[in-house]
Amino acid sequence: MERVLAARPDAVSAPEPRSVGELADRLQRPASVALALPRLTQPCLQVAEAVAVLTAASRDDLAGLLDATHGERAHGLAAALEALADRALMWPDGNGLLHMAAPLRNAWTSPLGLDAPLARLLGGSNSDELGRMVAKLAIKPAANRKEMRLAALIDHHSDPVRVTALVAKAPAATRKLLERRAQEAPERPGFIMFGGPRADSEPGEQWALERGLLIRDRHRYGPARMPAEVALALRGPDWHAPFTPLPPGVRPAPATVSDIDRETSAATMAFAAHAVSVLGVCAAAPPARLKAGGVGARELARIGRAAQCDEIPVRLVLEAASAAGLLARDGDRVAATAFYDNWAEQEPADQLAVLLRAWWALPLTPGGSRDEDGKALPALAGAPPCGGCVQARHGLLTAASQLPAGEGAANSADLGALLGWLRPLVDELPQDTTPFATLIREAELLGALALGAVSPIGAALLADDAQALTDACRRLLPAASGTARFGSDLTAVVAGTPSAHLLALLDSVADRESAGAASVWRFSPGSVRRALDAGLTPDALTADLAAIAVEPLPQPLSYLIHDTARSHGRVRIVSAACVIHGEEPALLAELAAHRKLTQLGLRLLAPTVLISRTPLDKTLAALRSAGYAPVAEKPDGSVRIERAQRARAASTLPPPRPSGGRSRTQRADAHTTDARTTVDLPSLAVRLRDAPQDIPEPDPWDDRPYASDTEEIIAGHARNLSFTDVRQLAHAVDDGQAITIEYVATSGDETVRTLSRLELDAPYLHGWCHLRNDERMFTISRIHGVMPA
């Protein structure tokens, strides 16, 4: 629609539909209208837009608005009206007025940059407001009713002469305001909320508001609105709506049938070779998908380098192959399918036909590599279907097919302009510097366009004839080549599309330098070594290359193969977990043959060298278990001294905290300890000997009652805690306080833990361990001490 509305002012706040999808959404997708719209030409849409402006459009009014009263413009208007009538989008009634399907009329919010007509803008006004307007205009309605006043006001403003005369009497500020607003597209107003702001009046606006030249919408805020009748009158009699009845000219260039066939054959041969190369690369090393989906620029560049082709052919092949089922998503990769294996064995013509049919129905333009901001777009990203892209592809071949026989477009930009006239609603890529440059490039690569004209392949696509498409491909594309010409400069040249066998053989033994109508491979010591690494012998490799050679293999190539083979494998590399060596070959041979050591994976490399697939320590233990006495070496060759490792804790424990309560033994020893500080040992010994052997009194703490049930439960399980520790732990559980414990795990390791959020579930204690920063469970009987946190 941007081309349709090219003569419209730029200041449009509410954008008009620019593609088939946008317009169909605007029309709420009524089937009859949505199906007809994509094939409407530019003049048809221009006529429909002009009719959407006129309240009661007659044929003469429409012709005057479009300046199509005579000559070619009049014939173009008649053709456009006939095309719209054939699609039931516009028709005349018995009074000569033109009527348009309501969904199509709703496609434009401001057709021709004009606002709504006066009847709609004043529909919510009351009779008094209309009365003040007609009084200012000094006109008398047929009756003082709202309908009569509105009719009189519409009749006055529908006459351009009276509107022009009225504006000529206005103040200078008002005239300037009205002339400017008549040339501007209306801004999209916003809904007004309760107490919302209202735009301030511009200088001279009040005079126009009082006379209905501008209307203030009470339900919206924003600038006052100018009725369509007033804007048309102020634009003057010389202003006309844009109307392009004739298609843009295309500069012709001679294009005979033989020339088109020759150009098409060269293009299809090159693309078929590119397709085989690109899909072969993807089959051998599936490209990785981005996290956001699709194949990114880095993978596309890798595929292009390996296949020796540009980015657009790579994208075109990937999208068409995916649509044809040759590629599919496999996790985070895009891998070849089983159908690809069958496709790879077909002739090039049949391969190309599969990709052409997929391209013709693709709901996107594969060559689109940049968005509106210039950022790279991934391929195979699963973009939403684009109906405008499909119509652009069909419209391009339709435009080219309308050129006279024996002629083509000398400049592809002219062909793009013609496509824009035939299909103004199709989607165009933002990356194109000329109209539809990427789409035209795709059609030329595939052979649908040649020398600016439709090729037999393009004609078969337009006719939607699968058999004709296959026949055209087989006629223009030669069979796969199974032979190559080898040069003394260590190159191999294949004319046309190489067969699958030839392609696999040359790729395995040489590096591809170019692909297209003729593909070139170059041999080097590295490429030949690659084939030898794959298990081929020099004689077998020479025989395979001789079988596909048109002439005998040149001597430089034979010398290269055998020279590379002589140095191949002189140095060998084997993986080993450890190496066993000694000075007695018989002993090492005995180890290699020992039945109990077979699980080590021993292999004799030399009379005094063995390798083992088992790590050093396990190999050492197995040899000692079998009765041998090996020693281990350090990396520098010195003997490793094995000393017993003593386990040590990672961190020291704090000394045990004296508990608050003491047992009977501790209290009895307390007197002894205190006595040692004041009594000498001989006196103490006499006293102990002569002391009566009385049984100590029972510990009064043993009969102390428990302060809570928690305390009693913990005491029943905590055999290693004193009474004071039990009470302190129970207090922490009941009051939700943090506590530090000395804990002995089942392994015997001692540790100190600070716990909070304690929960008692005897015989366990649950709590948040600050050391592990996690919830942990402790056995109460293994707690050996309690301290404040």
Side-chain angles (χ1 to χ4, degrees), residues 72-105:
E72 292 181 345
R73 297 180 68 86
H75 291 299
L77 174 59
L81 289 174
E82 183 178 357
L84 292 171
D86 290 342
R87 293 167 174 79
L89 297 176
M90 190 176 298
W91 60 93
D93 62 7
N95 299 324
L97 297 179
L98 296 173
H99 293 270
M100 187 166 55
L104 181 58
R105 183 181 294 275

PDB file of all heavy atoms in Angstrom, residues 72-105:
ATOM      1  N   GLU A  72      -6.487   7.611 -21.773  1.00  0.00           N
ATOM      2  CA  GLU A  72      -6.036   6.363 -21.174  1.00  0.00           C
ATOM      3  C   GLU A  72      -6.432   6.239 -19.706  1.00  0.00           C
ATOM      4  O   GLU A  72      -6.699   5.141 -19.211  1.00  0.00           O
ATOM      5  CB  GLU A  72      -4.513   6.244 -21.305  1.00  0.00           C
ATOM      6  CG  GLU A  72      -4.025   6.055 -22.739  1.00  0.00           C
ATOM      7  CD  GLU A  72      -2.525   5.923 -22.806  1.00  0.00           C
ATOM      8  OE1 GLU A  72      -1.866   6.260 -21.786  1.00  0.00           O
ATOM      9  OE2 GLU A  72      -1.996   5.480 -23.841  1.00  0.00           O
ATOM     10  N   ARG A  73      -6.505   7.376 -19.014  1.00  0.00           N
ATOM     11  CA  ARG A  73      -6.898   7.322 -17.605  1.00  0.00           C
ATOM     12  C   ARG A  73      -8.357   6.890 -17.468  1.00  0.00           C
ATOM     13  O   ARG A  73      -8.708   6.158 -16.539  1.00  0.00           O
ATOM     14  CB  ARG A  73      -6.651   8.678 -16.933  1.00  0.00           C
ATOM     15  CG  ARG A  73      -5.184   9.083 -16.916  1.00  0.00           C
ATOM     16  CD  ARG A  73      -4.980  10.434 -16.244  1.00  0.00           C
ATOM     17  NE  ARG A  73      -5.257  10.387 -14.812  1.00  0.00           N
ATOM     18  CZ  ARG A  73      -4.377  10.036 -13.885  1.00  0.00           C
ATOM     19  NH1 ARG A  73      -3.145   9.693 -14.250  1.00  0.00           N
ATOM     20  NH2 ARG A  73      -4.698  10.048 -12.615  1.00  0.00           N
ATOM     21  N   ALA A  74      -9.203   7.352 -18.378  1.00  0.00           N
ATOM     22  CA  ALA A  74     -10.607   6.929 -18.344  1.00  0.00           C
ATOM     23  C   ALA A  74     -10.724   5.437 -18.646  1.00  0.00           C
ATOM     24  O   ALA A  74     -11.504   4.721 -18.002  1.00  0.00           O
ATOM     25  CB  ALA A  74     -11.430   7.740 -19.342  1.00  0.00           C
ATOM     26  N   HIS A  75      -9.958   4.957 -19.613  1.00  0.00           N
ATOM     27  CA  HIS A  75      -9.973   3.518 -19.908  1.00  0.00           C
ATOM     28  C   HIS A  75      -9.428   2.719 -18.715  1.00  0.00           C
ATOM     29  O   HIS A  75      -9.928   1.634 -18.408  1.00  0.00           O
ATOM     30  CB  HIS A  75      -9.140   3.243 -21.159  1.00  0.00           C
ATOM     31  CG  HIS A  75      -9.748   3.767 -22.426  1.00  0.00           C
ATOM     32  ND1 HIS A  75     -10.972   3.349 -22.900  1.00  0.00           N
ATOM     33  CD2 HIS A  75      -9.296   4.697 -23.316  1.00  0.00           C
ATOM     34  CE1 HIS A  75     -11.261   3.979 -24.024  1.00  0.00           C
ATOM     35  NE2 HIS A  75     -10.252   4.818 -24.302  1.00  0.00           N
ATOM     36  N   GLY A  76      -8.412   3.258 -18.061  1.00  0.00           N
ATOM     37  CA  GLY A  76      -7.893   2.574 -16.881  1.00  0.00           C
ATOM     38  C   GLY A  76      -8.903   2.518 -15.750  1.00  0.00           C
ATOM     39  O   GLY A  76      -9.002   1.508 -15.035  1.00  0.00           O
ATOM     40  N   LEU A  77      -9.681   3.596 -15.557  1.00  0.00           N
ATOM     41  CA  LEU A  77     -10.720   3.597 -14.528  1.00  0.00           C
ATOM     42  C   LEU A  77     -11.793   2.562 -14.850  1.00  0.00           C
ATOM     43  O   LEU A  77     -12.246   1.824 -13.961  1.00  0.00           O
ATOM     44  CB  LEU A  77     -11.334   4.994 -14.422  1.00  0.00           C
ATOM     45  CG  LEU A  77     -12.529   5.128 -13.479  1.00  0.00           C
ATOM     46  CD1 LEU A  77     -12.150   4.720 -12.054  1.00  0.00           C
ATOM     47  CD2 LEU A  77     -13.074   6.561 -13.496  1.00  0.00           C
ATOM     48  N   ALA A  78     -12.188   2.484 -16.109  1.00  0.00           N
ATOM     49  CA  ALA A  78     -13.205   1.500 -16.498  1.00  0.00           C
ATOM     50  C   ALA A  78     -12.697   0.079 -16.263  1.00  0.00           C
ATOM     51  O   ALA A  78     -13.436  -0.791 -15.769  1.00  0.00           O
ATOM     52  CB  ALA A  78     -13.583   1.701 -17.964  1.00  0.00           C
ATOM     53  N   ALA A  79     -11.424  -0.170 -16.589  1.00  0.00           N
ATOM     54  CA  ALA A  79     -10.871  -1.508 -16.380  1.00  0.00           C
ATOM     55  C   ALA A  79     -10.801  -1.847 -14.895  1.00  0.00           C
ATOM     56  O   ALA A  79     -11.072  -2.984 -14.484  1.00  0.00           O
ATOM     57  CB  ALA A  79      -9.481  -1.592 -17.019  1.00  0.00           C
ATOM     58  N   ALA A  80     -10.424  -0.868 -14.064  1.00  0.00           N
ATOM     59  CA  ALA A  80     -10.343  -1.121 -12.624  1.00  0.00           C
ATOM     60  C   ALA A  80     -11.728  -1.395 -12.045  1.00  0.00           C
ATOM     61  O   ALA A  80     -11.895  -2.304 -11.217  1.00  0.00           O
ATOM     62  CB  ALA A  80      -9.695   0.069 -11.925  1.00  0.00           C
ATOM     63  N   LEU A  81     -12.738  -0.613 -12.457  1.00  0.00           N
ATOM     64  CA  LEU A  81     -14.097  -0.851 -11.956  1.00  0.00           C
ATOM     65  C   LEU A  81     -14.606  -2.214 -12.404  1.00  0.00           C
ATOM     66  O   LEU A  81     -15.291  -2.914 -11.638  1.00  0.00           O
ATOM     67  CB  LEU A  81     -15.031   0.261 -12.454  1.00  0.00           C
ATOM     68  CG  LEU A  81     -14.824   1.631 -11.812  1.00  0.00           C
ATOM     69  CD1 LEU A  81     -15.698   2.680 -12.499  1.00  0.00           C
ATOM     70  CD2 LEU A  81     -15.142   1.585 -10.323  1.00  0.00           C
ATOM     71  N   GLU A  82     -14.256  -2.610 -13.604  1.00  0.00           N
ATOM     72  CA  GLU A  82     -14.698  -3.926 -14.091  1.00  0.00           C
ATOM     73  C   GLU A  82     -14.023  -5.043 -13.289  1.00  0.00           C
ATOM     74  O   GLU A  82     -14.671  -6.042 -12.939  1.00  0.00           O
ATOM     75  CB  GLU A  82     -14.369  -4.052 -15.572  1.00  0.00           C
ATOM     76  CG  GLU A  82     -14.843  -5.360 -16.189  1.00  0.00           C
ATOM     77  CD  GLU A  82     -14.541  -5.448 -17.673  1.00  0.00           C
ATOM     78  OE1 GLU A  82     -14.009  -4.466 -18.225  1.00  0.00           O
ATOM     79  OE2 GLU A  82     -14.830  -6.507 -18.271  1.00  0.00           O
ATOM     80  N   ALA A  83     -12.736  -4.880 -13.002  1.00  0.00           N
ATOM     81  CA  ALA A  83     -12.030  -5.899 -12.216  1.00  0.00           C
ATOM     82  C   ALA A  83     -12.610  -6.002 -10.807  1.00  0.00           C
ATOM     83  O   ALA A  83     -12.758  -7.104 -10.262  1.00  0.00           O
ATOM     84  CB  ALA A  83     -10.545  -5.568 -12.162  1.00  0.00           C
ATOM     85  N   LEU A  84     -12.943  -4.864 -10.194  1.00  0.00           N
ATOM     86  CA  LEU A  84     -13.539  -4.885  -8.850  1.00  0.00           C
ATOM     87  C   LEU A  84     -14.923  -5.504  -8.880  1.00  0.00           C
ATOM     88  O   LEU A  84     -15.319  -6.224  -7.948  1.00  0.00           O
ATOM     89  CB  LEU A  84     -13.595  -3.465  -8.285  1.00  0.00           C
ATOM     90  CG  LEU A  84     -12.237  -2.831  -7.958  1.00  0.00           C
ATOM     91  CD1 LEU A  84     -12.402  -1.350  -7.623  1.00  0.00           C
ATOM     92  CD2 LEU A  84     -11.575  -3.551  -6.781  1.00  0.00           C
ATOM     93  N   ALA A  85     -15.679  -5.220  -9.942  1.00  0.00           N
ATOM     94  CA  ALA A  85     -17.018  -5.802 -10.046  1.00  0.00           C
ATOM     95  C   ALA A  85     -16.947  -7.309 -10.255  1.00  0.00           C
ATOM     96  O   ALA A  85     -17.783  -8.060  -9.724  1.00  0.00           O
ATOM     97  CB  ALA A  85     -17.778  -5.132 -11.188  1.00  0.00           C
ATOM     98  N   ASP A  86     -15.962  -7.778 -11.035  1.00  0.00           N
ATOM     99  CA  ASP A  86     -15.825  -9.221 -11.250  1.00  0.00           C
ATOM    100  C   ASP A  86     -15.552  -9.959  -9.945  1.00  0.00           C
ATOM    101  O   ASP A  86     -15.911 -11.131  -9.808  1.00  0.00           O
ATOM    102  CB  ASP A  86     -14.692  -9.491 -12.233  1.00  0.00           C
ATOM    103  CG  ASP A  86     -15.041  -9.059 -13.647  1.00  0.00           C
ATOM    104  OD1 ASP A  86     -16.244  -8.872 -13.925  1.00  0.00           O
ATOM    105  OD2 ASP A  86     -14.112  -8.878 -14.464  1.00  0.00           O
ATOM    106  N   ARG A  87     -14.931  -9.285  -8.993  1.00  0.00           N
ATOM    107  CA  ARG A  87     -14.629  -9.907  -7.709  1.00  0.00           C
ATOM    108  C   ARG A  87     -15.650  -9.563  -6.630  1.00  0.00           C
ATOM    109  O   ARG A  87     -15.424  -9.834  -5.449  1.00  0.00           O
ATOM    110  CB  ARG A  87     -13.224  -9.474  -7.255  1.00  0.00           C
ATOM    111  CG  ARG A  87     -12.110 -10.012  -8.133  1.00  0.00           C
ATOM    112  CD  ARG A  87     -10.799  -9.315  -7.860  1.00  0.00           C
ATOM    113  NE  ARG A  87      -9.678  -9.903  -8.584  1.00  0.00           N
ATOM    114  CZ  ARG A  87      -9.415  -9.692  -9.864  1.00  0.00           C
ATOM    115  NH1 ARG A  87     -10.213  -8.864 -10.562  1.00  0.00           N
ATOM    116  NH2 ARG A  87      -8.396 -10.274 -10.461  1.00  0.00           N
ATOM    117  N   ALA A  88     -16.771  -8.951  -7.038  1.00  0.00           N
ATOM    118  CA  ALA A  88     -17.867  -8.590  -6.128  1.00  0.00           C
ATOM    119  C   ALA A  88     -17.394  -7.669  -5.014  1.00  0.00           C
ATOM    120  O   ALA A  88     -17.875  -7.740  -3.881  1.00  0.00           O
ATOM    121  CB  ALA A  88     -18.514  -9.842  -5.529  1.00  0.00           C
ATOM    122  N   LEU A  89     -16.437  -6.784  -5.344  1.00  0.00           N
ATOM    123  CA  LEU A  89     -15.951  -5.824  -4.366  1.00  0.00           C
ATOM    124  C   LEU A  89     -16.572  -4.439  -4.565  1.00  0.00           C
ATOM    125  O   LEU A  89     -16.579  -3.639  -3.622  1.00  0.00           O
ATOM    126  CB  LEU A  89     -14.420  -5.716  -4.454  1.00  0.00           C
ATOM    127  CG  LEU A  89     -13.640  -6.991  -4.132  1.00  0.00           C
ATOM    128  CD1 LEU A  89     -12.156  -6.764  -4.351  1.00  0.00           C
ATOM    129  CD2 LEU A  89     -13.899  -7.448  -2.704  1.00  0.00           C
ATOM    130  N   MET A  90     -17.089  -4.149  -5.761  1.00  0.00           N
ATOM    131  CA  MET A  90     -17.707  -2.848  -6.038  1.00  0.00           C
ATOM    132  C   MET A  90     -18.701  -3.024  -7.186  1.00  0.00           C
ATOM    133  O   MET A  90     -18.444  -3.792  -8.122  1.00  0.00           O
ATOM    134  CB  MET A  90     -16.645  -1.818  -6.412  1.00  0.00           C
ATOM    135  CG  MET A  90     -17.150  -0.387  -6.493  1.00  0.00           C
ATOM    136  SD  MET A  90     -15.792   0.762  -6.840  1.00  0.00           S
ATOM    137  CE  MET A  90     -14.769   0.524  -5.400  1.00  0.00           C
ATOM    138  N   TRP A  91     -19.837  -2.314  -7.085  1.00  0.00           N
ATOM    139  CA  TRP A  91     -20.870  -2.440  -8.105  1.00  0.00           C
ATOM    140  C   TRP A  91     -21.720  -1.162  -8.112  1.00  0.00           C
ATOM    141  O   TRP A  91     -21.853  -0.484  -7.093  1.00  0.00           O
ATOM    142  CB  TRP A  91     -21.740  -3.661  -7.824  1.00  0.00           C
ATOM    143  CG  TRP A  91     -22.426  -3.590  -6.497  1.00  0.00           C
ATOM    144  CD1 TRP A  91     -23.663  -3.107  -6.212  1.00  0.00           C
ATOM    145  CD2 TRP A  91     -21.865  -4.015  -5.240  1.00  0.00           C
ATOM    146  NE1 TRP A  91     -23.930  -3.205  -4.878  1.00  0.00           N
ATOM    147  CE2 TRP A  91     -22.844  -3.750  -4.250  1.00  0.00           C
ATOM    148  CE3 TRP A  91     -20.645  -4.587  -4.876  1.00  0.00           C
ATOM    149  CZ2 TRP A  91     -22.626  -4.044  -2.908  1.00  0.00           C
ATOM    150  CZ3 TRP A  91     -20.447  -4.879  -3.550  1.00  0.00           C
ATOM    151  CH2 TRP A  91     -21.423  -4.605  -2.575  1.00  0.00           C
ATOM    152  N   PRO A  92     -22.339  -0.823  -9.286  1.00  0.00           N
ATOM    153  CA  PRO A  92     -23.233   0.339  -9.353  1.00  0.00           C
ATOM    154  C   PRO A  92     -24.671  -0.067  -9.046  1.00  0.00           C
ATOM    155  O   PRO A  92     -25.080  -1.208  -9.280  1.00  0.00           O
ATOM    156  CB  PRO A  92     -23.073   0.796 -10.805  1.00  0.00           C
ATOM    157  CG  PRO A  92     -22.769  -0.470 -11.550  1.00  0.00           C
ATOM    158  CD  PRO A  92     -22.006  -1.354 -10.603  1.00  0.00           C
ATOM    159  N   ASP A  93     -25.439   0.876  -8.501  1.00  0.00           N
ATOM    160  CA  ASP A  93     -26.855   0.603  -8.267  1.00  0.00           C
ATOM    161  C   ASP A  93     -27.672   1.231  -9.391  1.00  0.00           C
ATOM    162  O   ASP A  93     -27.144   1.761 -10.377  1.00  0.00           O
ATOM    163  CB  ASP A  93     -27.283   1.116  -6.891  1.00  0.00           C
ATOM    164  CG  ASP A  93     -27.114   2.628  -6.762  1.00  0.00           C
ATOM    165  OD1 ASP A  93     -26.791   3.283  -7.768  1.00  0.00           O
ATOM    166  OD2 ASP A  93     -27.309   3.140  -5.639  1.00  0.00           O
ATOM    167  N   GLY A  94     -28.987   1.198  -9.250  1.00  0.00           N
ATOM    168  CA  GLY A  94     -29.844   1.730 -10.290  1.00  0.00           C
ATOM    169  C   GLY A  94     -29.772   3.224 -10.449  1.00  0.00           C
ATOM    170  O   GLY A  94     -30.136   3.768 -11.505  1.00  0.00           O
ATOM    171  N   ASN A  95     -29.295   3.948  -9.434  1.00  0.00           N
ATOM    172  CA  ASN A  95     -29.199   5.409  -9.494  1.00  0.00           C
ATOM    173  C   ASN A  95     -27.834   5.876  -9.975  1.00  0.00           C
ATOM    174  O   ASN A  95     -27.537   7.078  -9.926  1.00  0.00           O
ATOM    175  CB  ASN A  95     -29.479   6.005  -8.110  1.00  0.00           C
ATOM    176  CG  ASN A  95     -30.868   5.670  -7.620  1.00  0.00           C
ATOM    177  OD1 ASN A  95     -31.820   5.615  -8.411  1.00  0.00           O
ATOM    178  ND2 ASN A  95     -31.012   5.415  -6.322  1.00  0.00           N
ATOM    179  N   GLY A  96     -26.964   4.953 -10.371  1.00  0.00           N
ATOM    180  CA  GLY A  96     -25.651   5.334 -10.865  1.00  0.00           C
ATOM    181  C   GLY A  96     -24.617   5.542  -9.787  1.00  0.00           C
ATOM    182  O   GLY A  96     -23.516   6.019 -10.079  1.00  0.00           O
ATOM    183  N   LEU A  97     -24.958   5.219  -8.538  1.00  0.00           N
ATOM    184  CA  LEU A  97     -24.005   5.366  -7.442  1.00  0.00           C
ATOM    185  C   LEU A  97     -23.218   4.072  -7.262  1.00  0.00           C
ATOM    186  O   LEU A  97     -23.752   2.969  -7.448  1.00  0.00           O
ATOM    187  CB  LEU A  97     -24.733   5.726  -6.136  1.00  0.00           C
ATOM    188  CG  LEU A  97     -25.485   7.058  -6.139  1.00  0.00           C
ATOM    189  CD1 LEU A  97     -26.173   7.262  -4.796  1.00  0.00           C
ATOM    190  CD2 LEU A  97     -24.551   8.210  -6.448  1.00  0.00           C
ATOM    191  N   LEU A  98     -21.967   4.201  -6.869  1.00  0.00           N
ATOM    192  CA  LEU A  98     -21.088   3.054  -6.684  1.00  0.00           C
ATOM    193  C   LEU A  98     -21.137   2.597  -5.224  1.00  0.00           C
ATOM    194  O   LEU A  98     -21.055   3.415  -4.305  1.00  0.00           O
ATOM    195  CB  LEU A  98     -19.645   3.414  -7.053  1.00  0.00           C
ATOM    196  CG  LEU A  98     -19.411   3.782  -8.518  1.00  0.00           C
ATOM    197  CD1 LEU A  98     -17.981   4.269  -8.712  1.00  0.00           C
ATOM    198  CD2 LEU A  98     -19.681   2.589  -9.429  1.00  0.00           C
ATOM    199  N   HIS A  99     -21.258   1.323  -5.043  1.00  0.00           N
ATOM    200  CA  HIS A  99     -21.272   0.735  -3.707  1.00  0.00           C
ATOM    201  C   HIS A  99     -20.080  -0.216  -3.574  1.00  0.00           C
ATOM    202  O   HIS A  99     -19.709  -0.905  -4.525  1.00  0.00           O
ATOM    203  CB  HIS A  99     -22.574  -0.030  -3.465  1.00  0.00           C
ATOM    204  CG  HIS A  99     -23.781   0.857  -3.418  1.00  0.00           C
ATOM    205  ND1 HIS A  99     -24.260   1.425  -2.258  1.00  0.00           N
ATOM    206  CD2 HIS A  99     -24.591   1.300  -4.424  1.00  0.00           C
ATOM    207  CE1 HIS A  99     -25.317   2.172  -2.527  1.00  0.00           C
ATOM    208  NE2 HIS A  99     -25.548   2.111  -3.844  1.00  0.00           N
ATOM    209  N   MET A 100     -19.506  -0.253  -2.391  1.00  0.00           N
ATOM    210  CA  MET A 100     -18.322  -1.078  -2.135  1.00  0.00           C
ATOM    211  C   MET A 100     -18.594  -2.007  -0.968  1.00  0.00           C
ATOM    212  O   MET A 100     -19.316  -1.645  -0.021  1.00  0.00           O
ATOM    213  CB  MET A 100     -17.108  -0.186  -1.829  1.00  0.00           C
ATOM    214  CG  MET A 100     -15.797  -0.940  -1.726  1.00  0.00           C
ATOM    215  SD  MET A 100     -14.344   0.148  -1.759  1.00  0.00           S
ATOM    216  CE  MET A 100     -14.713   1.271  -0.431  1.00  0.00           C
ATOM    217  N   ALA A 101     -18.033  -3.203  -1.036  1.00  0.00           N
ATOM    218  CA  ALA A 101     -18.185  -4.158   0.064  1.00  0.00           C
ATOM    219  C   ALA A 101     -17.684  -3.537   1.360  1.00  0.00           C
ATOM    220  O   ALA A 101     -16.598  -2.949   1.397  1.00  0.00           O
ATOM    221  CB  ALA A 101     -17.415  -5.443  -0.245  1.00  0.00           C
ATOM    222  N   ALA A 102     -18.487  -3.671   2.414  1.00  0.00           N
ATOM    223  CA  ALA A 102     -18.151  -3.017   3.680  1.00  0.00           C
ATOM    224  C   ALA A 102     -16.790  -3.445   4.225  1.00  0.00           C
ATOM    225  O   ALA A 102     -16.037  -2.603   4.721  1.00  0.00           O
ATOM    226  CB  ALA A 102     -19.253  -3.289   4.701  1.00  0.00           C
ATOM    227  N   PRO A 103     -16.412  -4.726   4.166  1.00  0.00           N
ATOM    228  CA  PRO A 103     -15.071  -5.081   4.680  1.00  0.00           C
ATOM    229  C   PRO A 103     -13.942  -4.365   3.949  1.00  0.00           C
ATOM    230  O   PRO A 103     -12.947  -3.989   4.557  1.00  0.00           O
ATOM    231  CB  PRO A 103     -15.010  -6.598   4.455  1.00  0.00           C
ATOM    232  CG  PRO A 103     -16.429  -7.039   4.431  1.00  0.00           C
ATOM    233  CD  PRO A 103     -17.182  -5.920   3.780  1.00  0.00           C
ATOM    234  N   LEU A 104     -14.095  -4.155   2.638  1.00  0.00           N
ATOM    235  CA  LEU A 104     -13.060  -3.448   1.906  1.00  0.00           C
ATOM    236  C   LEU A 104     -13.020  -1.979   2.284  1.00  0.00           C
ATOM    237  O   LEU A 104     -11.952  -1.368   2.386  1.00  0.00           O
ATOM    238  CB  LEU A 104     -13.274  -3.607   0.402  1.00  0.00           C
ATOM    239  CG  LEU A 104     -12.241  -2.941  -0.514  1.00  0.00           C
ATOM    240  CD1 LEU A 104     -10.847  -3.474  -0.216  1.00  0.00           C
ATOM    241  CD2 LEU A 104     -12.592  -3.162  -1.976  1.00  0.00           C
ATOM    242  N   ARG A 105     -14.175  -1.374   2.539  1.00  0.00           N
ATOM    243  CA  ARG A 105     -14.210   0.037   2.935  1.00  0.00           C
ATOM    244  C   ARG A 105     -13.496   0.230   4.271  1.00  0.00           C
ATOM    245  O   ARG A 105     -12.881   1.272   4.515  1.00  0.00           O
ATOM    246  CB  ARG A 105     -15.664   0.512   3.033  1.00  0.00           C
ATOM    247  CG  ARG A 105     -15.819   1.995   3.378  1.00  0.00           C
ATOM    248  CD  ARG A 105     -17.278   2.374   3.480  1.00  0.00           C
ATOM    249  NE  ARG A 105     -17.955   2.274   2.205  1.00  0.00           N
ATOM    250  CZ  ARG A 105     -17.963   3.238   1.287  1.00  0.00           C
ATOM    251  NH1 ARG A 105     -17.327   4.375   1.497  1.00  0.00           N
ATOM    252  NH2 ARG A 105     -18.608   3.065   0.141  1.00  0.00           N
TER     253      ARG A 105
END
